[in-house]
Amino acid sequence: MPVASPPPKPDVPGPVRARVEGLGEWALLKLERLGFAARFFLAILRFSGLGIRRFGLVMREIHFAGVLSLVIIGVSGLFVGMVLGLQGYETLVRYGSAEALGTLVALSLVRELGPVVSALLFASRAGSAMTAEIGLMKATEQLAAMEMMAVEPLARVVAPRFWGGVISMPLLAAIFSACGILGGYLIGVVTIGLDAGAYWSQMQAAVDFRDDVLNGVIKSFVFGVAVTWIAVFEGYDAAPTAEGVSRATTRTVVTSALVILALDVLLTALMFRGT
Amino acid sequence: MADLIPVRLDDVAFGYDPSKRILEKVNLTVRPGQIVALMGGSGCGKTTILRLIGGTVPASAGTVSVFGEDVGVMNADALRRMRSRVGMLFQFGALFTDLSVFDNVAFPLRECTNLGERMIRDLVLMKLQAVGLRGASTLMPHQLSGGMARRVALARGIALDPRLMLFDEPFTGLDPISLATIGRLVRELNDALGASSIIVTHDVQESLQIVDYLYFIAGGRVVAEGTPDGVRASEQPFVRQFVRGEIEGVVPFHQQAADYRSELLAGAR
Amino acid sequence: MNRNRMLDLWVGLFVIIGIGALAFLALRAANASNFSSEPTYTLEARFDNIGSLKVRAPVRSAGVMVGRVSAIGFDAETYEAVVSFNISARYPFPKDTSAKILTAGLLGEQYLGLTAGGDAVMFKAGDTVRLTQSAVVLENLIGQFLYNKAAEGKPADAKPADANPGEGKSAGEKADDAKVTDSKAAESKTTDSTAKGGKTRAAKGAEGSQ
C-alpha cells in the first residue's frame, strides 16, 4: 500500500510561523532593552562623581524621595502594623499564644512587609515622579540643553536622583517597620490589653539583629537600587512626548512592583532558608 | 580665533536609520559676525543640522567643523570645550523647570566655571538686564509667558559669552510683539558679543529683517541660498513658494499616495 | 540660600528619623545588645533525637540565654544528630556539663538547655558535650502512656474493686516516664508541679497497691 506523502509545505509564512517570529522579535527587543538598561546602570555609576563632589545635588533628591515620602510611609506602616495586630491576635488567641503577637508583628514587618510594602509605596510615590520628571525634562529638551551647555545630564540629573533614592529607601523601610511595630503595640497592648512586657520581650527573644533586621535592611537596599534604577531608566528612555512620558511612568510602577516581588522571593530564599 | 570660520558643513549626510537619510548632502558656511538663517519645511532636518553642529549626533558622512575643528573626531574633552563656546536656544526655551529664572541663567556659570557666587550674581543680573527681565529673576519658569521664557533662555544661552549662537525656531508660537523683541535681541546680542549665529526658522518675514544670509533646505539638500535682498528678488520656484507662502508649487500639497479614486473604490468594495 | 538651608534641615531630620528607626528595630525589637557581635566559642553535642530543634534556637543555662544553635547535621555512621552551638565567650562551662533539648512551655519552641557540672576543667572551642539527653517527642510520650495504660488494663480487670489505686498508679507511671526523658530540669512551673504531684500520687498509689 503506497504511503500518502504529505503535501510539500508552502514556504509562505503561515500564521504559526508569523507568531513565532513575532515572539522572537519581541524577545530580542526586550533583551536589547535590558542590555541598554544595564549599560545605563554602569553609566550612572561612572557619572556619580559629580553627585559625591557636590553632595547638595544628592541632598535635594533625598529631600524629594525621602523626606516627602515620610508621611505616606509612616502612616502606612502604622496602619499595616495595626492590621497585623488585629489579625494576628485573632489567629494567635485560638492557640492560646496571644503573647506571641509582638513576635508575629515584628518578624512580619522587619523581614517582609517593611522592605516590600515601603518599596512598593516608594515606587509609586517617588519612582513614578522621578520617571515623569526626567521624561519631561527630555521631552522639553532640558536634557539636550544641558548637554549643549557642556553638562552631562547623567551626572547632573540622573545620578543624584539615583543615589537619593538608594539612600532614602533603607531609611524609609526602617521607619515603616518601626511605625508598624508601634501600630501593633497600639492594637495589641493599648486596645486589646495584652501585657506590654510580653509584647516586647517575646519580640526581642525572636527577632535577631543580624538575621532579621540587617537582612531586612539589605533587602530594602536592593529594592532601592532596583526601583530607582527602573525609574531613572524609564524616564531617560521615555519617548519625548506627553504620551511617552505617561507610558513610561506607568511602566515604572508596574515593572518596579514585579521586580520588587520577584527579588523578594529570591532574597528570602537566600536569606531565610532553613531557619 | 575671530578669523576662524565659525561653522562649516562639507557634504554632510545624516540619518538616524541608515536606510532613511534625513540629510543627503549639505554644504553651508557661517562667516564671523554673520547671522545665518536655515529655512525649510517642517521636518526637513533643520534642527538636525544644529545637533550635528553641537556634536550631540554624529554625521553619517562629510565633515562638520566648528571654529575650524572637526566635530566628528573630537574627544569628550574637546567636545566640552567646544560646547562651552556655543550657546543654544531651544525651541520652547527648555528652561529647567525646577530652577528659578535666576538659577537657570546661573546654571551654566555654576556648572562650567569656578566663579564665586557674588561674581555669578552680578553676571546673571547683567545677562537678565540685557534681555530686559532683571525684574523677573525670582520667578519660576511656569510663571513666565512664552516670550519671557524665550528671553530667559536667551540670557542663559549667552551666559558664557559664546562665540556662536544656535537658535532652534526662536519665533515659534509668539505674539507679534514678543516676536519682534526676540528678533531684535538676537541681532543686538550677536553684534554686542561679536558672535555668529544660526537661526533655524520658518518665519520668513522676521528673518529677512535681521539675518545676513539664508539657506533653504529641502529633500536633504541646500536648494537655494542668498542674502535677504537676493531672496526677495529671487525667481527660483522653491524660494518664491516659500517666501510667499503658496500652497501649491514645487512642494506639493499632497503626501505621495495611491490613486485617490482607486483607493476610495477599494474601500467601498 | 535660605531654601537650601531648609532643605538641609529636612534631610538631616529625615536621616535622624531613619537612623532612629533602625536603632529602634535593633535595640527595642531585636535586642541587638544581647550579643550579636560578641566573641563566641563553638561546642558540639550529639543526640539520638533532636525533635524540632532548629538552627538559631537559643541555648539556655538556668533559663538565661547564653548562645545559639549554629548548625545541625547528621552523622551517617552513628545515626546521630550533631548539633553545633555558639556560646558567648563570657560564659565558660565545665567539661561535665550536660546538654538537653527542652521545650519552652507545652507546645513552644525547642531550645538547648545546658546544666553545668562540677568539673574544674572548662570546655575549649570545638569540644563535644558528652552528656546529652534527647528531645521529648510528644507522640512517643503519648504512645508510651497508652501502652502502659493497656498493660495495666489486665490487672485492673482482675481486681475491679481496687480500681482507684490502679488509676493513681498509671498516672504516676506516666509522670515517671516523663521524668526519665524530661528530667527534673523541666522549666515551666506547671510542668514541674504536675511532675511533683504525679510523683506523690505515684508514691501513694504504690502504697495503696501493696
Side-chain angles (χ1 to χ4, degrees):
Chain A
M1 204 161 90
V3 181
S5 64
K9 273 186 186 162
D11 204 34
V12 291
V16 175
R17 185 171 157 189
R19 207 161 294 167
V20 170
E21 272 175 0
L23 197 73
E25 218 161 275
W26 176 85
L28 279 181
L29 216 69
K30 290 283 157 191
L31 206 64
E32 191 187 318
R33 221 172 118 75
L34 187 69
F36 179 44
R39 223 151 40 80
F40 183 74
F41 186 68
L42 293 181
I44 294 176
L45 296 186
R46 206 175 66 232
F47 285 112
S48 293
L50 180 78
I52 296 166
R53 258 179 286 125
R54 280 172 51 189
F55 202 68
L57 292 175
V58 179
M59 287 279 252
R60 253 182 86 98
E61 301 311 325
I62 296 179
H63 179 260
F64 175 77
V67 177
L68 299 183
S69 306
L70 209 51
V71 173
I72 185 178
I73 290 284
V75 172
S76 311
L78 200 67
F79 286 157
V80 167
M82 288 165 98
V83 169
L84 275 177
L86 284 169
Q87 294 284 16
Y89 178 76
E90 285 297 315
T91 310
L92 287 174
V93 81
R94 286 184 206 184
Y95 301 101
S97 37
E99 63 281 0
L101 188 67
T103 310
L104 182 127
V105 170
L107 277 185
S108 338
L109 279 167
V110 170
R111 284 180 169 195
E112 290 297 333
L113 292 173
V116 171
V117 178
S118 55
L120 290 175
L121 289 172
F122 180 80
S124 36
R125 158 72 186 66
S128 60
M130 265 185 220
T131 305
E133 210 185 355
I134 295 177
L136 276 176
M137 287 184 90
K138 189 182 177 193
T140 56
E141 297 189 301
Q142 293 179 44
L143 295 185
M146 221 171 253
E147 208 175 342
M148 279 304 296
M149 284 179 225
V151 175
E152 175 56 53
L154 276 177
R156 182 62 173 70
V157 174
V158 175
R161 278 172 176 72
F162 176 77
W163 287 113
V166 169
I167 292 170
S168 300
M169 188 66 251
L171 296 175
L172 287 174
I175 292 167
F176 185 95
S177 296
C179 286
I181 288 171
L182 289 179
Y185 179 87
L186 280 182
I187 290 294
V189 178
V190 178
T191 312
I192 295 177
L194 294 176
D195 181 47
Y199 185 82
W200 294 117
S201 65
Q202 290 268 342
M203 189 187 298
Q204 288 175 0
V207 180
D208 186 77
F209 177 69
R210 204 174 321 162
D211 287 356
D212 298 322
V213 178
L214 268 190
N215 275 345
V217 172
I218 292 171
K219 261 189 185 182
S220 58
F221 175 77
V222 173
F223 294 162
V225 171
V227 170
T228 37
W229 175 22
I230 291 169
V232 294
F233 174 71
E234 289 290 358
Y236 197 80
D237 192 46
T241 59
E243 198 211 359
V245 173
S246 88
R247 272 166 183 270
T249 310
T250 311
R251 266 207 309 270
T252 294
V253 177
V254 174
T255 316
S256 299
L258 288 177
V259 167
I260 289 165
L261 295 173
L263 278 176
D264 188 46
V265 173
L266 198 72
L267 290 175
T268 306
L270 280 177
M271 287 170 174
F272 301 115
R273 191 163 39 185
T275 59
Chain B
M1 197 180 100
D3 302 313
L4 287 172
I5 299 293
V7 178
R8 190 187 174 97
L9 271 67
D10 287 313
D11 298 338
V12 168
F14 177 79
Y16 289 101
D17 189 342
S19 61
K20 194 169 161 270
R21 292 229 158 137
I22 299 169
L23 301 175
E24 293 281 355
K25 190 173 177 185
V26 174
N27 289 292
L28 60 86
T29 308
V30 178
R31 294 180 199 292
Q34 264 189 342
I35 299 183
V36 168
L38 298 184
M39 302 210 155
S42 307
C44 73
K46 299 177 309 247
T47 304
T48 308
I49 293 179
L50 294 189
R51 290 187 183 196
L52 287 167
I53 294 169
T56 50
V57 291
S60 312
T63 54
V64 178
S65 44
V66 177
F67 300 117
E69 284 182 78
D70 186 351
V71 176
V73 299
M74 282 184 186
N75 60 13
D77 217 37
L79 208 57
R80 195 158 49 238
R81 243 180 307 133
M82 181 273 282
R83 282 175 183 161
S84 63
R85 298 208 304 249
V86 176
M88 182 152 176
L89 180 64
F90 282 82
Q91 193 163 357
F92 295 104
L95 293 178
F96 302 129
T97 37
D98 54 341
L99 299 179
S100 69
V101 166
F102 181 93
D103 290 329
N104 257 288
V105 180
F107 185 88
L109 295 166
R110 287 189 179 135
E111 300 292 331
C112 300
T113 68
N114 293 319
L115 298 176
E117 198 56 36
R118 283 188 56 183
M119 185 72 149
I120 287 177
R121 183 176 163 277
D122 292 349
L123 278 172
V124 169
L125 292 179
M126 280 159 65
K127 303 293 173 191
L128 281 173
Q129 176 72 15
V131 297
L133 286 178
R134 192 162 47 84
S137 67
T138 56
L139 296 181
M140 294 302 281
H142 63 84
Q143 295 169 301
L144 303 174
S145 71
M148 285 162 86
R150 221 68 66 88
R151 276 148 77 187
V152 173
L154 190 54
R156 187 180 67 181
I158 58 169
L160 293 172
D161 293 336
R163 311 282 311 151
L164 173 68
M165 286 293 298
L166 308 175
F167 298 91
D168 189 3
E169 316 214 352
F171 307 123
T172 312
L174 293 182
D175 62 86
I177 301 172
S178 307
L179 197 149
T181 314
I182 296 285
R184 211 193 63 204
L185 278 173
V186 168
R187 184 78 243 184
E188 279 179 2
L189 291 171
N190 185 69
D191 296 347
L193 289 167
S196 318
S197 303
I198 300 179
I199 302 180
V200 162
T201 179
H202 15 236
D203 194 304
V204 187
Q205 298 314 323
E206 185 61 34
S207 27
L208 283 174
Q209 311 251 336
I210 59 166
V211 304
D212 301 308
Y213 206 79
L214 296 94
Y215 286 92
F216 289 87
I217 293 164
R221 289 163 193 275
V222 173
V223 292
E225 57 183 282
T227 59
D229 289 337
V231 166
R232 280 194 197 97
S234 171
E235 284 303 314
Q236 214 180 324
F238 178 83
V239 177
R240 273 180 56 125
Q241 191 193 353
F242 203 88
V243 172
R244 297 185 189 167
E246 290 161 357
I247 295 169
E248 285 294 352
V250 282
V251 178
F253 168 70
H254 287 294
Q255 177 85 18
Q256 206 171 0
D259 183 56
Y260 190 36
R261 219 175 108 94
S262 58
E263 192 163 342
L264 280 181
L265 287 175
R269 218 166 356 123
Chain C
M1 215 64 232
N2 217 0
R3 213 171 107 232
N4 270 348
R5 280 190 53 196
M6 276 307 283
L7 191 134
D8 289 357
L9 202 73
W10 275 109
V11 171
L13 195 69
F14 169 64
V15 171
I16 295 276
I17 294 176
I19 290 175
L22 264 181
F24 172 82
L25 292 181
L27 300 174
R28 188 75 189 167
N31 209 358
S33 53
N34 201 2
F35 75 89
S36 52
S37 54
E38 253 185 83
T40 59
Y41 62 98
T42 306
L43 296 180
E44 227 177 65
R46 287 161 175 273
F47 294 92
D48 292 332
N49 192 335
I50 58 163
S52 61
L53 189 76
K54 297 211 171 62
V55 175
R56 278 192 347 104
V59 177
R60 296 178 197 272
S61 186
V64 178
M65 194 167 120
V66 295
R68 277 190 190 281
V69 173
S70 60
I72 293 174
F74 182 68
D75 186 334
E77 282 178 12
T78 59
Y79 303 108
E80 280 174 330
V82 183
V83 175
S84 309
F85 51 98
N86 298 327
I87 307 268
S88 165
R90 279 187 295 167
Y91 309 121
F93 277 91
K95 277 260 182 188
D96 58 347
T97 296
S98 63
K100 305 177 192 74
I101 293 172
L102 301 168
T103 308
L106 199 56
L107 296 166
E109 61 162 356
Q110 288 191 303
Y111 64 92
L112 198 63
L114 294 182
T115 312
D119 205 320
V121 187
M122 297 293 167
F123 274 129
K124 290 193 301 292
D127 280 354
T128 302
V129 180
R130 299 268 166 230
L131 306 168
T132 62
Q133 215 165 71
S134 288
V136 185
V137 179
L138 207 62
E139 291 93 312
N140 293 353
L141 214 63
I142 293 168
Q144 214 157 13
F145 171 64
L146 290 177
Y147 177 78
N148 289 343
K149 185 89 175 166
E152 270 164 31
K154 273 170 194 165
D157 271 352
K159 278 193 251 171
D162 221 323
N164 235 6
E167 251 178 38
K169 190 186 174 198
S170 72
E173 271 183 6
K174 176 216 161 198
D176 270 351
D177 285 340
K179 219 189 95 200
V180 170
T181 38
D182 204 7
S183 166
K184 64 194 162 208
E187 267 214 337
S188 144
K189 218 169 188 177
T190 47
T191 325
D192 216 335
S193 66
T194 44
K196 268 181 198 155
K199 213 195 276 177
T200 45
R201 252 184 290 151
K204 268 186 198 161
E207 277 164 23
S209 65
Q210 270 170 3

